[in-house]
Amino acid sequence: MTESTSVIFEWWWILFLLPLPWIYRSFRKPAESQNPALAIPVYDQLLGTGTKSFTATSKNKLNYLLLILLWITALFAAARPTWVGEPIELPTTGRDLLLCVDISESMRMDDMPLGSRTTERIVAVKVVLSQFAERRKGDRLGLILFGSLPYLQSPLTFDRQTVTRLLEEAQAGFAGNKTAIGDAIGLGVKRLIDRPENHRILILLTDGSNTYGELDPIKAAEAAAQMGVKIYTVGVGADSVLQRSLFGVQRVHNTALDEDTLQAIADKTGGRYYRARDVEELNQIYQELDKLEPIEQEAETLRPTKALYHWPLGVALFAGLLLMIRRQEATYD
């Protein structure tokens, strides 16, 4: 039996308050005082009846109906009506890829050739990873950003557009100026441990060496191997960089990148180390990662939802506005 579209109320119990005004009216005691300030209830003020009974007359019948409409639609909006669509079957084959991207201060370095010019490392990474994410149909993607500390920006999800947007919004230096590779691996392992075996793939991209954090990268890699997490490491940055000195600008060998450690991390977990000196090489690396064999996954379904509360809320606001206008007119009559 197939499920069709439907409308549900997230907080359906709020609808039990619908008869509250009528219950109040039935049980309230008539005012003993003749003082108009005490005799006029709020409903009478809204209806414009002065000290008259709450019962509608031919003159205030429209006000009475508007007040009822305001109460009912306000409660329906508060109950959070939601449209639920037909089930959508999600892909049953794919990979779980957790991207772990270095956004330390050094990623601002402008040494990645892009066409006829050079660009910052972080910009080159965003360009290539965005294209990589767009090709991940059927895969779950997650995103960890790290500098001095690692942060989970997105858990594993089929929503590639959200992962891409979060990556594009990332700025170098936002997670600190140093590089905590070991801590980033530790967080990645923690997020992948609940996934089935052979699904646990971590892609670590950095331009430096481990200069901060509590976990040693090699020990973190050993723990990842025990948990069945395979790590692919990518070293970013040109072989030589320009540096200013007392003798002017000089080109020196890039010693910041710890390729030995990145190679060891990949070897211990059954992954592979890649070197990306420019955008073209970086793109070729991710084309290689495209070839990872998709793995059978448990069948899942997703039912799209859409909030509908704004429709009854709009009616309630309109009814309230009409009541205010009619009350003002009654005041000047």
Side-chain angles (χ1 to χ4, degrees):
M1 182 177 178
T2 59
E3 299 179 81
S4 59
T5 60
S6 60
V7 175
I8 63 171
F9 291 93
E10 300 285 348
W11 296 346
W12 53 268
W13 49 267
I14 289 180
L15 299 179
F16 285 118
L17 299 176
L18 279 171
L20 185 60
W22 290 270
I23 294 175
Y24 167 75
R25 176 179 171 237
S26 299
F27 289 95
R28 73 185 178 100
K29 294 181 180 180
E32 297 180 0
S33 172
Q34 297 301 317
N35 187 340
L38 300 176
I40 302 176
V42 64
Y43 293 113
D44 292 339
Q45 292 185 18
L46 286 172
L47 292 170
T49 60
T51 58
K52 295 180 181 179
S53 169
F54 180 75
T55 305
T57 64
S58 57
K59 187 176 180 180
N60 61 34
K61 187 174 182 180
L62 178 58
N63 287 16
Y64 182 70
L65 294 175
L66 286 173
L67 189 59
I68 293 175
L69 180 63
L70 172 60
W71 175 252
I72 293 175
T73 52
L75 285 187
F76 268 75
R80 292 183 63 187
T82 303
W83 173 82
V84 181
E86 295 182 356
I88 299 174
E89 292 187 2
L90 298 178
T92 57
T93 59
R95 319 166 185 83
D96 289 335
L97 304 176
L98 187 54
L99 306 175
C100 199
V101 181
D102 184 355
I103 59 167
S104 60
E105 187 67 28
S106 59
M107 289 293 285
R108 296 183 188 273
M109 189 166 292
D110 190 346
D111 66 348
M112 294 291 285
L114 179 63
S116 58
R117 60 185 179 87
T118 59
T119 188
E120 293 181 359
R121 295 171 180 176
I122 188 66
V123 173
V125 168
K126 288 180 182 181
V127 170
V128 177
L129 276 184
S130 297
Q131 297 172 356
F132 176 74
E134 283 299 315
R135 298 195 297 266
R136 302 276 56 77
K137 293 182 180 179
D139 294 344
R140 287 186 180 90
L141 282 183
L143 178 64
I144 290 176
L145 302 175
F146 71 96
S148 302
L149 294 171
Y151 298 94
L152 179 69
Q153 289 296 99
S154 172
L156 291 167
T157 176
F158 287 108
D159 189 354
R160 307 188 308 276
Q161 288 76 20
T162 296
V163 175
T164 301
R165 185 174 68 253
L166 290 172
L167 175 64
E168 290 174 349
E169 291 174 352
Q171 300 296 323
F174 275 23
N177 297 333
K178 299 181 180 179
T179 308
I181 295 176
D183 289 358
I185 294 175
L187 179 58
V189 171
K190 182 179 179 180
R191 302 305 306 186
L192 289 169
I193 193 61
D194 293 332
R195 299 302 304 157
E197 292 185 11
N198 300 324
H199 280 238
R200 306 165 186 170
I201 298 175
L202 179 67
I203 301 175
L204 176 72
L205 185 147
T206 182
D207 69 338
S209 58
N210 191 75
T211 58
Y212 198 75
E214 299 180 1
L215 281 177
D216 178 75
I218 302 300
K219 292 182 178 179
E222 292 172 351
Q226 293 176 0
M227 300 296 181
V229 177
K230 185 179 291 187
I231 303 177
Y232 292 85
T233 55
V234 181
V236 179
D239 287 330
S240 59
V241 295
L242 296 176
Q243 285 188 352
R244 295 185 179 276
S245 66
L246 295 175
F247 304 99
V249 178
Q250 294 182 327
R251 183 172 293 276
V252 298
H253 183 68
N254 182 10
T255 58
L257 183 62
D258 188 353
E259 294 192 74
D260 293 337
T261 297
L262 295 178
Q263 182 69 64
I265 292 171
D267 292 342
K268 287 183 178 295
T269 60
R272 183 177 172 184
Y273 169 63
Y274 299 92
R275 182 72 172 90
R277 299 170 182 82
D278 53 40
V279 173
E280 184 177 349
E281 280 190 345
L282 187 59
N283 193 45
Q284 289 174 357
I285 290 169
Y286 284 103
Q287 288 178 0
E288 286 292 320
L289 294 174
D290 285 343
K291 299 175 183 178
L292 293 174
E293 186 66 24
I295 301 168
E296 239 1 86
Q297 305 187 56
E298 295 180 5
E300 294 185 18
T301 59
L302 172 69
R303 299 196 70 179
T305 61
K306 183 179 181 181
L308 302 175
Y309 72 89
H310 53 279
W311 293 107
L313 181 60
V315 175
L317 292 174
F318 181 71
L321 180 62
L322 284 181
L323 275 173
M324 291 177 60
I325 293 174
R326 292 179 63 83
R327 175 59 183 163
Q328 288 294 113
E329 291 176 348
T331 301
Y332 292 107
D333 286 344

